[in-house]
Amino acid sequence: MTEARAGTAALDFPPSCLQAMKSMDDSAVALLDVIRSLAFVGDLAMGQPTDHSPRAAWMAGQLAREAGADHATCTRATVVALLRWSGCTANAPEFAQLFGDDVSGRKALLAIQSPNSGFRSGTRNKGSAFLSLSRIHCEVSGDIAAQLGLDDETQFALHHLFESHDGTGAPDGLRGNQVPVAVYMASLAGDLEIFNRLYGVEQACRLIGERADVLYPRDLANVLLAHAQEWLSALDQDPTLSGPCSLDATLAGRTTSLEILAHVIDLKLPWMTGYSRDVAQLARRAARQLGLDEAGQKRVYRAALIHGMGRASVPNMVWDTPGRLAESAWERVRLVPYWTGRAARQIGSLAGEAEVASYAYERPDGSGYFREVKEVSIPFEARILAAAAALASLRAARPWREAYTEHAANDMLKAEAAAGRYDVEIVRALLDKPRSSGARLQAMPSTGLLTEREREVLRCISLGASNKQAAQKLSISPSTVRTHIESVFRKLECSTRAAATLKATQLGLL
């Protein structure tokens, strides 16, 4: 059976890469829809309800306005609250090592009531695991903002998400006015949303009062507390308030590349690096071979890029498990496409693609999930996506097995199709060679930014290999691997493997 488990400065992209990115109309989508999608993925990864970040963002905007902030600061507070958890897929492997269940571990940390606990606990010790986790999260969040084309102030705020008013936060120990006010506003709104849901508004206000002067300034906390009941009641009475927001007008007309979202999704599991992009390219080529019009090809491509959104809801320890899963673990995997489909409710122009993506693991013979429907009920575009996802998975290595050769993977997919689990016509189109040069897969152009050896080393570590493992694979010494990694970090203007992977993947270097 084929697998279904599936720096502080912005990087200057080489002109050739920027041109290629702009020319890929299939991936150009509304900026706000990508931001909302990242918020959805972040909430899943943090074990939060999928309306947590939108609700917190609305309250952060209200707080900014009530505090007398200008329009730019109100916008920034809203964006930071939406993207606050965008970097959490990047440190999921490390969280899994620390907690076992990375999703439940994050959820438990957010529920801690003590003002001296939570993500910022332990960062006073500069060798702490929390400091390391915070650095990965913040660097990737800030770099996502850079790739989205957000302003320098927003990038800086997202690079310092876990700073505290008293200077005990991370990653740089900023204090007081050194911390961007948008960070305080997003933190206050997020705490109120979580604590109210868990403990009620009275206890939530008490907890926020205890955290004042520790995590955020007291005067700003007092503004929030004065309006907490009013804002929470407004959201409860009209949940749609957390949908449309001030960003609709501010970001109107701005677009970004959907590949950014795909790469962030894949960061959760190192061995998935580039997977969503590969599936999308295979699916688009098959759609072209099958004669779908431009709109159909575009929809298949986009659906493939985002079909893994629901994957964030499942702990890494489940994905890394070889062999048959326990029933409880399998149930979580089975709901992955359900969560992807749920995303359609809050990501605007991508709603149609999210619906197609939610069928990615259905099978014509009814053996798929989560709906367990048969061929007649599965959209044709979704059947293309399903076969492409299976083929890409077979051709890639997994923690429990090596990648199958192209010939072996093709034969396995043909056998699955013959057994009724994939559409034979689609599999044939998927495995056929392109009919003309016009049908070749679009790819980002290679650049001279990294040497070939540096790219080999980066490829190894991006897939989760340690320095020692990379050295063994490439027949070089661990010290040489370290030297190459340092060079890669310097050239890509980053300090963590996750950030290097994100940037390199977006640049087409992986």
Side-chain angles (χ1 to χ4, degrees), residues 391-432:
L391 182 60
S393 182
L394 288 169
R395 291 178 176 178
R398 295 294 181 252
W400 54 87
R401 65 158 175 81
E402 294 296 322
Y404 292 104
T405 65
E406 181 176 349
H407 180 73
N410 293 354
D411 284 349
M412 292 178 72
L413 192 63
K414 289 177 185 176
E416 292 277 88
R421 285 185 281 275
Y422 297 102
D423 188 300
V424 173
E425 179 189 9
I426 290 172
V427 169
R428 187 179 300 118
L430 193 61
L431 301 181
D432 279 349

Side-chain angles (χ1 to χ4, degrees), residues 166-466:
D166 65 357
T168 61
D172 295 328
L174 303 184
R175 65 171 60 244
N177 293 334
Q178 294 176 321
V179 181
V181 68
V183 170
Y184 289 141
M185 292 171 174
S187 180
L188 277 161
D191 282 355
L192 177 60
E193 203 288 319
I194 292 171
F195 290 152
N196 172 68
R197 177 168 20 94
L198 295 178
Y199 311 119
V201 64
E202 183 177 339
Q203 176 74 343
C205 290
R206 186 182 70 79
L207 293 172
I208 288 172
E210 292 177 354
R211 293 181 171 211
D213 292 329
V214 178
L215 302 187
Y216 21 71
R218 183 167 295 279
D219 57 348
L220 196 59
N222 287 341
V223 174
L224 179 85
L225 295 176
H227 296 274
Q229 183 66 69
E230 170 193 348
W231 294 340
L232 290 168
S233 296
L235 283 171
D236 290 341
Q237 293 169 14
D238 185 5
T240 63
L241 287 174
S242 63
C245 62
S246 60
L247 299 182
D248 290 319
T250 303
L251 301 182
R254 294 183 61 179
T255 62
T256 192
S257 166
L258 191 58
E259 278 83 2
I260 295 172
L261 174 59
H263 301 328
V264 171
I265 292 169
D266 291 348
L267 275 180
K268 178 173 167 63
L269 296 158
W271 43 270
M272 297 288 277
T273 298
Y275 172 74
S276 296
R277 175 200 58 205
D278 293 345
V279 174
Q281 291 177 336
L282 286 168
R284 180 171 53 190
R285 188 182 72 186
R288 185 182 293 119
Q289 294 282 84
L290 290 162
L292 267 67
D293 60 17
E294 289 295 326
Q297 294 176 33
K298 183 176 182 177
R299 192 158 43 249
V300 167
Y301 181 75
R302 291 185 175 195
L305 286 175
I306 65 174
H307 83 280
M309 290 181 71
R311 203 183 303 137
S313 66
V314 181
N316 278 29
M317 65 180 185
V318 172
W319 295 120
D320 290 336
T321 301
R324 188 177 182 85
L325 294 174
E327 189 62 31
S328 59
W330 167 242
E331 183 62 18
R332 299 184 75 166
V333 171
R334 199 182 71 83
L335 290 177
V336 165
Y338 163 79
W339 287 115
T340 298
R342 281 289 301 275
R345 301 186 182 186
Q346 63 189 59
I347 56 178
S349 64
L350 292 172
E353 285 83 351
E355 180 67 11
V356 171
S358 71
Y359 284 87
Y361 301 113
E362 303 292 349
R363 300 292 177 259
D365 65 353
S367 63
Y369 58 93
F370 67 103
R371 297 177 182 86
E372 299 180 357
V373 295
K374 295 192 175 183
E375 181 174 8
V376 67
S377 301
I378 305 173
F380 186 64
E381 293 162 347
R383 282 181 269 151
I384 295 174
L385 169 56
L391 182 60
S393 182
L394 288 169
R395 291 178 176 178
R398 295 294 181 252
W400 54 87
R401 65 158 175 81
E402 294 296 322
Y404 292 104
T405 65
E406 181 176 349
H407 180 73
N410 293 354
D411 284 349
M412 292 178 72
L413 192 63
K414 289 177 185 176
E416 292 277 88
R421 285 185 281 275
Y422 297 102
D423 188 300
V424 173
E425 179 189 9
I426 290 172
V427 169
R428 187 179 300 118
L430 193 61
L431 301 181
D432 279 349
K433 299 298 181 183
R435 289 192 291 259
S436 68
S437 60
R440 289 175 187 163
L441 299 183
Q442 275 186 287
M444 302 290 274
S446 178
T447 75
L449 185 61
L450 301 181
T451 67
E452 186 58 35
R453 179 59 90 184
E454 287 170 346
R455 291 177 67 172
E456 290 176 343
V457 170
L458 178 57
R459 181 65 181 173
C460 285
I461 66 170
S462 74
L463 293 172
S466 65

Side-chain angles (χ1 to χ4, degrees), residues 103-122:
V103 178
S104 295
R106 297 178 197 271
K107 181 179 180 180
L109 285 173
L110 290 178
I112 293 176
Q113 300 186 46
S114 168
N116 295 314
S117 299
F119 282 118
R120 281 159 284 206
S121 175

Side-chain angles (χ1 to χ4, degrees), residues 73-103:
T73 302
C74 292
T75 297
R76 193 168 300 119
T78 304
V79 171
V80 171
L82 282 172
L83 293 179
R84 193 175 178 218
W85 306 134
S86 60
C88 62
T89 57
N91 62 13
E94 289 80 7
F95 249 98
Q97 290 178 1
L98 192 63
F99 291 100
D101 184 332
D102 52 295
V103 178

